[in-house]
Amino acid sequence: MCGIFGVAGHREAANLTYLGLHALQHRGQQASGMVLWDEGHIREVVKRGLVVDVFDDKALQYLNGSPSGAAGGLTIGHVRYPKREKHALQNAQPLCVSYARGPLGVAMDGAFVNYEEVRCQLEEKGAVFQSETDAEVVMHLVAHAKAPAVEASLIEALGHLRGGYAMVLLAEGKLIATRDIYGIRPLVLGKRDGIWVVSSETTGLDLIEADFVREIEPGEICVLQGGHLESHFPFAKAKRACCAFEHIYFARLDSEVFGCSVHEARKRMGAALSRVHPVSADVVIPVPDSGVAAAIGYAQAARIPYEQGLIRSHYVGRTFIEPQQSIRNFGVKLKLSAVRSVLNAKRVVVVDDSIIRGTTSKKIVSLLRSAGVGEIHMRIASPPTEWPCCYGIDTPSRAELISASHSLEEVCTHIGADTLAFLSPTGFKEAMQPANGFCDACVSGRYPTQLP
Amino acid sequence: MCGIFGVAGHREAANLTYLGLHALQHRGQQASGMVLWDEGHIREVVKRGLVVDVFDDKALQYLNGSPSGAAGGLTIGHVRYPKREKHALQNAQPLCVSYARGPLGVAMDGAFVNYEEVRCQLEEKGAVFQSETDAEVVMHLVAHAKAPAVEASLIEALGHLRGGYAMVLLAEGKLIATRDIYGIRPLVLGKRDGIWVVSSETTGLDLIEADFVREIEPGEICVLQGGHLESHFPFAKAKRACCAFEHIYFARLDSEVFGCSVHEARKRMGAALSRVHPVSADVVIPVPDSGVAAAIGYAQAARIPYEQGLIRSHYVGRTFIEPQQSIRNFGVKLKLSAVRSVLNAKRVVVVDDSIIRGTTSKKIVSLLRSAGVGEIHMRIASPPTEWPCCYGIDTPSRAELISASHSLEEVCTHIGADTLAFLSPTGFKEAMQPANGFCDACVSGRYPTQLP
Amino acid sequence: MCGIFGVAGHREAANLTYLGLHALQHRGQQASGMVLWDEGHIREVVKRGLVVDVFDDKALQYLNGSPSGAAGGLTIGHVRYPKREKHALQNAQPLCVSYARGPLGVAMDGAFVNYEEVRCQLEEKGAVFQSETDAEVVMHLVAHAKAPAVEASLIEALGHLRGGYAMVLLAEGKLIATRDIYGIRPLVLGKRDGIWVVSSETTGLDLIEADFVREIEPGEICVLQGGHLESHFPFAKAKRACCAFEHIYFARLDSEVFGCSVHEARKRMGAALSRVHPVSADVVIPVPDSGVAAAIGYAQAARIPYEQGLIRSHYVGRTFIEPQQSIRNFGVKLKLSAVRSVLNAKRVVVVDDSIIRGTTSKKIVSLLRSAGVGEIHMRIASPPTEWPCCYGIDTPSRAELISASHSLEEVCTHIGADTLAFLSPTGFKEAMQPANGFCDACVSGRYPTQLP
Amino acid sequence: MCGIFGVAGHREAANLTYLGLHALQHRGQQASGMVLWDEGHIREVVKRGLVVDVFDDKALQYLNGSPSGAAGGLTIGHVRYPKREKHALQNAQPLCVSYARGPLGVAMDGAFVNYEEVRCQLEEKGAVFQSETDAEVVMHLVAHAKAPAVEASLIEALGHLRGGYAMVLLAEGKLIATRDIYGIRPLVLGKRDGIWVVSSETTGLDLIEADFVREIEPGEICVLQGGHLESHFPFAKAKRACCAFEHIYFARLDSEVFGCSVHEARKRMGAALSRVHPVSADVVIPVPDSGVAAAIGYAQAARIPYEQGLIRSHYVGRTFIEPQQSIRNFGVKLKLSAVRSVLNAKRVVVVDDSIIRGTTSKKIVSLLRSAGVGEIHMRIASPPTEWPCCYGIDTPSRAELISASHSLEEVCTHIGADTLAFLSPTGFKEAMQPANGFCDACVSGRYPTQLP
């Protein structure tokens, strides 16, 4: 779960990338980075922290180069969500190396299922690894390829890899953008001032006032230089399998992802949930922010008033210190507050996007109980999450997924709700138009790629 | 506009105050501070920054003292919103001085209308001022008073001052909490573990799981030590005039302020607005976050679907740098994004809490237009703001208040909406139950205190 | 022990003060500060840290004001050595307040012996104190004075105070500089570009290429505006008593203090020591840096080779963390290293400026022993320090001064040297030309002022 | 010019390395780093900054691991001097990678003359480079080697490389230390608590109270595990050519380098200089700190008094900002001050270690002139530096070496001295005992290795 962005040559490429990454910040808050190609020279700023913190005045000045610099740069950028890897800084992206044909920058969202295998093969050939990122494997394969140009080397490299990914590369004065053959991870093309721009989601285009042109197709390799686009489809076609979790939780509400509005999809999930699992209640409330659209959908379909019964604090960051003595376990209370006047003695439908380990849901139920709620009917706008993701979404192992090992009743008892219901697989598929092209491995166990 | 908090003696007074201030963070993000009284010694941490940043591990350890420290401390805390003053750090609170009878700490929300006059009188007597805060005037007056105990000195001091304020003092092992005689600024009493706690709003009590006991009364001076409360009413009673802007905009949705739920009041304002200024529309959306409850109230009363058409970014802080070249004026776009699928070609009612200068509304309208909205009907859940506040709310001068000098039509044209309507004074009073005790000087020009 | 600096109006007053304070950094490393008067407005930067850290790009830009600002500012600056006070930041100087006649800034080196008494009297009159500095007492007295101009108020204020001090004030567009009537603490006048400059030592003038003009006289009050100087002597004359410790240890080797070269004075002390306490030895080495000049003096007089047997690390700051496990007590080894080839099997004379608690000398002897020194003859270029300073030098209480309670033999045994000798009072006076005007209370117990 | 350090397994390896690097800080102030091997796991802290800043409490805790950790770790550490490379952080060392046989850490002092050639060959084989360090080339060669153990791989790797270097590696639970076959760069072996320790200079052993055992021999590869040492000499012997610049300038005065005391060598150079280039003078002063020992040698041999005529500031760091307006070029004055009483109207011999570009010498002469010096006789305790170093000393290109293109008279005129003299090659060789084993390429142009 990361966000990627790129500009194929623009006098303000660094500024546009800065803004684009800011609009993708929800896809990763641990580290932010940008690499800029300026006539064969590379400038690089990659650091832990939010976009607004990493790209301070000094960093932007450095990336923008000399104020008189006439020619425009090409950029790739990345925001990173912490994954299985141990070393935060080393794994921050874009990665940037020098190889036989010059500098090479790579930023990637997603994961390869045969990462370990390919890494071992490369190490056998003498490769040394400085990070634990999937992106570094791509770099080594590109460097070992025999092709004369970077796009051909990349095609050769990707032939060895299997997984779900969206990726941007910078080399030889070109921006290359590509997606896996299933289209698991999202990536869109836009244009501003006649120049190509790529972004994980359309929200990145909207902020910089670029026009949305189209998705990059599954398996497509786009070579972008200024306003020029060269498209390659070197691999056999596969059945489209776009990640359903983007619509369930991950993408931003104002984005269009895989050709479908995130907001509309979530509303449809909420409405479907209401039809399949209705309940007599006084009020429908969301778990903010990811449950809002589904809750509105539920409330409208069920004709129960929608209310804001939980407020999310704007001031909780990673740095919050919980006092160390007897006052503990404030956890969710620091982040969410209950609005007593909405909740007191009411029968409440609480709509959330998913249940992973069950710990957050349990805390929310407890918070609502102490605000005097009468009945709590938890409604989840997706089917139970029973399988880990192999394509970059940071779900835990099967052992930690509560629905993988517990019945609906057990989960309901665990979280302390009066009733609990999930969206059915059928209702889910209908809401996810076009339903026939999605990867729902996390709820079905059917993975689009071969697994190792 | 500030938040204040205090604990009248508790082993974890510092931790409780830290959490309480976090829950009041919406009342001020510029500076945070705490003063702790530990058996005659004072510890003090006052700094620019959010509560989570100012009170890091080291600061909390310092405030909590030695781990074996048995006796509990008394605390006062403050979060600060920047006001007319120039020097951010010096004006951060609580202020802490040493005077003839020992250490004295003061934190205040509000303002004195005769500040300049009293400050001049004090300077004539030889007082030197190190800040531009109203709180410092109180300190000098207390120090110049002839009374033998701090509560009597405070009464003497307040006799010279006129304005709207809530205040906490720490001296002689006592926590003193007081409000102006009109009750303009809010302050509530709670109890946890049998110990008195004070907070600007009930949300500060909720987070630390203290029980709400009652408001501090207008003109009441509460002397608190552990579980003991001594109440004084030394001044003539005045007509109750609680600040309406707390309910319009400032207080948190989950708080009960002046004995009235903020959420309910805002919903009533929205509903009243709908009745008086109905419009044919497809969807009602709020300007997040302050417009949410009023928008829900409007939508329910008007039976028009409520939607989340604007999303607020969680990642915009004070440090955001706007790129310096041609890409400018991103302003509101960095903070708010439009959800195109909700808005495109729709007739939209946009509900906001108030219009001050008109600049933000204008940007929001422009943002909505570029998302393809059909018609924009701006509805404001309070009457036009035409008068500056003298009691601590940071409204600009009359010359900058757009409604003070422009007609409704002119404002509508300026912001670019298709129609614009404000809540009428009558509808406003009805929504603000009990309507007969509010200060609405900002919309009526009727100030409860004499002005200089 | 602090350093003060001031410029009486100059387009680059802030830059000059920045450089001047840098040259006085040896007088205080805990906090640095500057206040600038710009046509009635005050700018202020006061912070913990070295001059180079406190005055970064942003701070200097702020102090220098708008680049088009034509008129020159007046400045006072301060570097602070930690004293008896507890709160580092509050006690950082210059202090800056607003009083009846406008803004007032004060920076001071030294101490008042009747500080407690005067502070109590002020508190009885209603004064509130925000720091524990002697300078704040001056401010309150100035504010309570009835005089029409600040220089008259200052004279009235100083009439209540007794001690050793050098001080700079900024008020009413004037820079006022003064010293106590005994001339205990140093302060010199210089000129650059026709503008008056004041500095604790001449090294501050040298760095900014200002010409040294003269000392400010004991008891003199200089009112400086640009190139204009107005001199007042409002107090009865006293016997001159310049602080001997400035020459022993505190002032910089390249300064002229009290009309006498520090370097020459130290060399004379070393030479005198050699005559009175000769010893057969192979080599003379200093404890760097304060013992260097005296060691050269000793070596030249004794005709024994001078060597650099101890090296001082440039990289030890306040932040050095000693590992927490079994490897401890590296203390002096982190700061000083022994040059084995100079020391091995040699009879060594080690020259230091003074012995306070004896702990450092003991560690140095141990360090030398482990480098294989044959004999260690410790020679101290001043008489035993037996009395605490009341005038701002941070010597500990009598109980901690090893020479106050131990005989020469006991001290020698304690530190582990083979022989130990101090400069005699007579030799000391001769070296300190003009000997008849010095305060040697720390070695004689004869304090020039009445004590409380 | 870097410092390296290592410990072959010790419960306090991290603390010992921290202290050792502190003692080597003079060899590099730009970046500091340490890698620790703890039973197959690697911990790594590498950052810009001084040792005391990089290894704060948190970093040392991390490196020391869990407090109950019983087994001792192996460490390598590095302090870095900025070289020809562009990217400071990436080039900080130790480098740490993962390759086919596990983790590998490398830290190096020195340079390979065939770096570009070998890097190109590696890139042709598909290697990707993340830094511009010589150490990274070693890593890639080790990873490409076919040998079964890391020491054999290293031997294979070094077979491809030519240059002057000292290096420490960490892999497979072993610490490997090696020097080039000429012994150009220094590296010594010590023991503490029976455990092997390696350090660039003996000063690193002294601080941690390790015993000096011997130099690592030119071309020796030492495999160290705890108290076990395995020595390999896989390469043909070469004529010993230890870097003369270590004694001229670079090593610390208290170190023994290449079996010879640095202090003694410098004193001999000063004495030789005095014999060959005597002058009638009143005083001999050093340019601190590197000229001190040579100046003492000169003064003793010439029987002219030695004095401290220039003082070096302890407070000038990399962060010093020179004011931006008319007060400029303070350069050397911020770092050095002249002691007027030593210099005024005197005939002064100024002893420095070398002249590189001539700019510093010119500033020093100017500083001395403005302090009233009568005559300035500059004496340089080494022959003219006319050739760049290829083995890691950061001398500039020949074009920038003033002595490479200017006659003695021209240099003297340029710097503004009355006379100038360098030590003759003969005098230099005699001082550098044993003279027959030194690399003096920088003064003679005779490089011990073949050049590319």
Side-chain angles (χ1 to χ4, degrees), chain D residues 213-274:
Chain D
V213 177
R214 63 167 173 90
E215 277 195 272
I216 290 186
E217 291 301 311
E220 181 177 11
I221 290 171
C222 294
V223 184
L224 307 165
Q225 285 182 299
H228 185 73
L229 183 154
E230 194 184 293
S231 176
H232 302 264
F233 285 92
F235 305 113
K237 287 232 162 186
K239 190 162 174 297
R240 193 174 162 95
C242 302
C243 170
F245 218 72
E246 292 280 348
H247 282 98
I248 295 174
Y249 166 80
F250 202 48
R252 217 164 84 168
L253 207 58
D254 59 325
S255 281
E256 190 154 315
V257 172
F258 309 133
C260 165
S261 154
V262 175
H263 172 266
E264 292 303 308
R266 288 193 192 160
K267 271 193 72 180
R268 283 195 302 267
M269 291 181 210
L273 188 57
S274 154

Side-chain angles (χ1 to χ4, degrees), chain D residues 25-242:
Chain D
Q25 186 80 79
H26 61 286
R27 297 184 73 85
Q29 296 93 45
Q30 194 189 48
S32 308
M34 192 192 308
V35 170
L36 181 138
W37 176 287
D38 179 13
E39 299 180 5
H41 294 94
I42 282 281
R43 292 191 209 112
E44 183 182 358
V45 173
V46 180
K47 254 182 164 173
R48 286 187 75 107
L50 296 178
V51 170
V52 293
D53 297 326
V54 168
F55 299 104
D56 55 11
D57 239 334
K58 212 173 128 191
L60 284 175
Q61 261 178 43
Y62 168 68
L63 288 165
N64 278 309
S66 59
S68 60
L74 290 85
T75 47
I76 56 174
H78 191 266
V79 288
R80 181 174 183 275
Y81 195 95
K83 279 194 293 191
R84 58 171 179 232
E85 308 137 354
K86 276 165 286 174
H87 297 98
L89 182 55
Q90 291 157 293
N91 294 329
Q93 298 184 30
L95 294 183
C96 194
V97 296
S98 172
Y99 79 120
R101 286 180 295 285
L104 171 66
V106 178
M108 174 175 152
D109 173 31
F112 301 121
V113 294
N114 61 338
Y115 166 81
E116 288 294 344
E117 181 193 330
V118 177
R119 178 167 170 155
C120 281
Q121 289 165 359
L122 283 161
E123 287 184 347
E124 285 308 313
K125 289 185 192 157
V128 303
F129 281 77
Q130 302 206 12
S131 79
E132 296 166 344
T133 58
D134 295 84
E136 193 175 356
V137 166
V138 177
M139 290 185 143
H140 286 284
L141 288 172
V142 166
H144 279 87
K146 302 292 170 218
V150 66
E151 50 266 49
S153 297
L154 177 63
I155 290 167
E156 197 176 324
L158 293 177
H160 297 284
L161 293 163
R162 209 162 62 237
Y165 55 84
M167 195 190 303
V168 281
L169 282 91
L170 209 49
E172 300 173 13
K174 307 164 200 164
L175 171 63
I176 308 181
T178 187
R179 282 171 80 196
D180 64 87
I181 54 171
Y182 314 95
I184 297 176
R185 301 252 63 83
L187 195 59
V188 296
L189 276 169
K191 257 196 177 171
R192 185 189 150 119
D193 305 331
I195 302 295
W196 287 108
V197 176
V198 292
S199 174
S200 290
E201 300 180 26
T202 56
T203 186
L205 304 180
D206 290 346
L207 181 54
I208 63 161
E209 294 173 357
D211 297 317
F212 168 68
V213 177
R214 63 167 173 90
E215 277 195 272
I216 290 186
E217 291 301 311
E220 181 177 11
I221 290 171
C222 294
V223 184
L224 307 165
Q225 285 182 299
H228 185 73
L229 183 154
E230 194 184 293
S231 176
H232 302 264
F233 285 92
F235 305 113
K237 287 232 162 186
K239 190 162 174 297
R240 193 174 162 95
C242 302

Side-chain angles (χ1 to χ4, degrees), chain A residues 328-359:
Chain A
R328 285 176 198 273
N329 299 318
F330 274 77
V332 86
K333 291 191 70 178
L334 293 171
K335 201 170 157 188
L336 294 177
S337 316
V339 182
R340 187 173 290 266
S341 66
V342 168
L343 302 167
N344 196 28
K346 298 280 176 53
R347 296 168 304 164
V348 179
V349 177
V350 184
V351 180
D352 205 350
D353 60 281
S354 57
I355 291 182
I356 304 296
R357 291 178 182 81
T359 40

Side-chain angles (χ1 to χ4, degrees), chain C residues 50-124:
Chain C
L50 297 178
V51 170
V52 293
D53 297 326
V54 168
F55 299 104
D56 55 12
D57 238 334
K58 211 173 129 190
L60 283 175
Q61 259 178 43
Y62 167 67
L63 288 165
N64 277 310
S66 58
S68 60
L74 292 85
T75 48
I76 55 174
H78 192 266
V79 288
R80 184 176 181 273
Y81 195 96
K83 278 196 294 192
R84 61 175 176 228
E85 308 136 355
K86 276 166 287 176
H87 296 96
L89 182 56
Q90 290 158 294
N91 294 329
Q93 297 184 29
L95 294 183
C96 194
V97 296
S98 172
Y99 78 121
R101 286 181 295 286
L104 172 67
V106 177
M108 175 175 150
D109 173 31
F112 302 120
V113 296
N114 61 339
Y115 166 82
E116 288 294 343
E117 180 194 331
V118 176
R119 179 167 168 154
C120 281
Q121 289 165 359
L122 283 162
E123 287 185 346
E124 286 309 312

Side-chain angles (χ1 to χ4, degrees), chain A residues 247-268:
Chain A
H247 282 98
I248 295 174
Y249 167 79
F250 202 49
R252 217 165 85 168
L253 207 58
D254 59 324
S255 280
E256 190 153 315
V257 171
F258 309 133
C260 165
S261 154
V262 175
H263 174 265
E264 291 302 308
R266 289 193 192 160
K267 271 193 72 180
R268 281 195 302 269

Side-chain angles (χ1 to χ4, degrees), chain B residues 162-228:
Chain B
R162 211 162 60 237
Y165 55 84
M167 195 191 301
V168 280
L169 282 90
L170 210 48
E172 300 173 12
K174 306 165 201 165
L175 170 63
I176 308 181
T178 186
R179 282 171 80 196
D180 63 87
I181 54 172
Y182 314 95
I184 297 175
R185 302 251 64 84
L187 196 58
V188 297
L189 276 169
K191 256 193 177 173
R192 184 188 150 121
D193 305 331
I195 302 295
W196 287 107
V197 176
V198 294
S199 174
S200 290
E201 300 179 25
T202 56
T203 187
L205 304 180
D206 290 345
L207 182 55
I208 63 161
E209 294 172 359
D211 296 317
F212 168 67
V213 177
R214 64 166 174 89
E215 277 194 272
I216 290 186
E217 292 299 311
E220 181 177 11
I221 289 171
C222 293
V223 184
L224 307 165
Q225 285 182 298
H228 186 74

